[in-house]
Amino acid sequence: MFNYQALRPIEVLLVEDSSSDANLTIKSFLNAQIANNLHWVEDGESAMNYLRLSPV
């Protein structure tokens, strides 16, 4: 049996300007029970700023 707890969480950057669409995506990730760190930004400029400041 594969141990999913041993895996590092997946880093996900969600770029979505619609809060209702973002919430649907976030709920889908929660329902899938995938270990992830989901970060939501509303536009491309915020996404680029996030990526510039994120540690590798």
Side-chain angles (χ1 to χ4, degrees), residues 13 45-56:
L13 177 59
E45 184 177 350
S46 297
M48 293 305 295
N49 288 335
Y50 177 85
L51 292 171
R52 281 188 200 104
L53 297 174
S54 293
V56 176

Side-chain angles (χ1 to χ4, degrees), residues 8-17 21-23 25-26 29-30 34-43 46-51 53-55:
R8 277 187 21 206
I10 298 169
E11 296 294 326
V12 177
L13 177 59
L14 173 61
V15 183
E16 177 57 65
D17 63 348
D21 288 347
N23 285 328
T25 303
I26 293 166
F29 271 87
L30 290 171
I34 299 170
N36 67 73
N37 293 322
L38 192 143
H39 306 278
W40 171 38
V41 297
E42 294 183 347
D43 56 43
S46 297
M48 293 305 295
N49 288 335
Y50 177 85
L51 292 171
L53 297 174
S54 293

